[in-house]
Amino acid sequence: GAGVSQSPSNKVTEKGKDVELRCDPISGHTALYWYRQSLGQGLEFLIYFQGNSAPDKSGLPSDRFSAERTGGSVSTLTIQRTQQEDSAVYLCASSFAGTTGLLSTDTQYFGPGTRLTVL
Amino acid sequence: AQSVTQPDIHITVSEGASLELRCNYSYGATPYLFWYVQSPGQGLQLLLKYFSGDTLVQGIKGFEAEFKRSQSSFNLRKPSVHWSDAAEYFCAVGRANNLFFGTGTRLTVIP
């Protein structure tokens, strides 16, 4: 079946503009994650959604970052008033919460990412 | 706090040679450990994972990893590297609802 898809694949924007990044998870997956991968850095957790529970926003670096997940499926990551340090690859992943109830034991399936460049 | 260290930023091996990528973790309880691979222009793909049981874990593409609690390590190995293995490799620790990734090791394979 289809994997995780993300759009756009590349986004170039000017400093101060708002951007929206989209993630379509695998159908039936209840958990959805956003990560940021900066040059030379590992993946940095941003936010995750699980079913109808309140999202875990503990990784969001500032209040300029927000995300929503509509209908338990598609998610949008919004960055307001972008800064040059926001330039990175933004990765989305989804997983099916298994019987353990611990989402970290479930295999996360990653999308190809959105490369954001802030000029 | 939990953390993952991949001490080698870049490794170069000859095709056909053996490979070992190092991963050390810092975590108080029994960790859930993962290795992911990121090929150029592609998303991350899970190679293998360890939760419990046999400390030698077999994964896809001929990779294996060994969990050594005494050394807090989860090193990835492959007996004979193929040119298509050139990629970035990430070790990760899972805890609660999150994955914590290392900074990655870039593998170059030379003919």
Side-chain angles (χ1 to χ4, degrees), chain B residues 65-83:
Chain B
E66 186 171 13
F67 169 59
K68 293 185 177 180
R69 184 186 299 276
S70 61
Q71 299 177 18
S72 296
S73 68
F74 188 57
N75 294 349
L76 182 70
R77 302 193 296 246
K78 186 169 185 178
S80 178
V81 171
H82 188 263
W83 65 266

Side-chain angles (χ1 to χ4, degrees), chain A residues 24-114:
Chain A
D24 285 86
I26 293 173
S27 178
H29 278 190
T30 56
L32 186 147
Y33 302 75
W34 282 99
Y35 295 88
R36 178 169 67 176
Q37 185 177 22
S38 303
L39 188 63
Q41 303 290 319
L43 276 76
E44 174 189 12
F45 164 76
L46 296 177
I47 186 171
Y48 99 91
F49 299 86
Q50 164 56 11
N52 296 321
S53 302
D56 178 349
K57 305 178 181 180
S58 59
L60 294 178
S62 77
D63 59 8
R64 296 186 295 105
F65 288 72
S66 64
E68 63 178 20
R69 189 179 185 192
T70 55
S73 180
V74 173
S75 178
T76 302
L77 177 69
T78 301
I79 308 174
Q80 296 178 309
R81 305 181 302 280
T82 53
Q83 303 295 313
Q84 289 183 332
E85 60 263 28
D86 299 334
S87 295
V89 175
Y90 289 81
L91 295 168
C92 175
S94 70
S95 69
F96 175 73
T99 56
T100 63
L102 291 174
L103 296 182
S104 61
T105 66
D106 299 311
T107 298
Q108 294 186 22
Y109 296 85
F110 284 79
T114 294

Side-chain angles (χ1 to χ4, degrees), chain B residues 3 84 106:
Chain B
S3 67
S84 60
R106 184 161 64 92

Side-chain angles (χ1 to χ4, degrees), chain B residues 52-66:
Chain B
S52 64
D54 192 346
T55 56
L56 185 62
V57 181
Q58 301 297 320
I60 63 172
K61 304 184 178 184
F63 285 92
E64 66 178 26
E66 186 171 13

Side-chain angles (χ1 to χ4, degrees), chain B residues 8-104:
Chain B
D8 303 305
I9 297 174
H10 185 203
I11 284 182
T12 299
V13 299
S14 298
E15 190 169 16
S18 63
L19 171 70
E20 182 168 24
L21 302 182
R22 295 184 291 167
C23 173
N24 294 95
Y25 65 90
S26 171
Y27 184 57
T30 301
Y32 301 129
L33 297 162
F34 304 77
W35 273 101
Y36 280 85
V37 60
Q38 186 177 34
S39 299
Q42 298 188 25
L44 278 83
Q45 181 183 22
L46 179 69
L47 285 175
L48 47 80
K49 57 186 177 182
Y50 170 79
F51 296 155
S52 64
D54 192 346
T55 56
L56 185 62
V57 181
Q58 301 297 320
I60 63 172
K61 304 184 178 184
F63 285 92
E64 66 178 26
E66 186 171 13
F67 169 59
K68 293 185 177 180
R69 184 186 299 276
S70 61
Q71 299 177 18
S72 296
S73 68
F74 188 57
N75 294 349
L76 182 70
R77 302 193 296 246
K78 186 169 185 178
S80 178
V81 171
H82 188 263
W83 65 266
S84 60
D85 293 325
E88 187 101 20
Y89 291 81
F90 292 92
C91 181
V93 171
R95 177 177 178 270
N97 301 314
N98 202 349
L99 281 179
F100 297 89
F101 286 84
T103 52

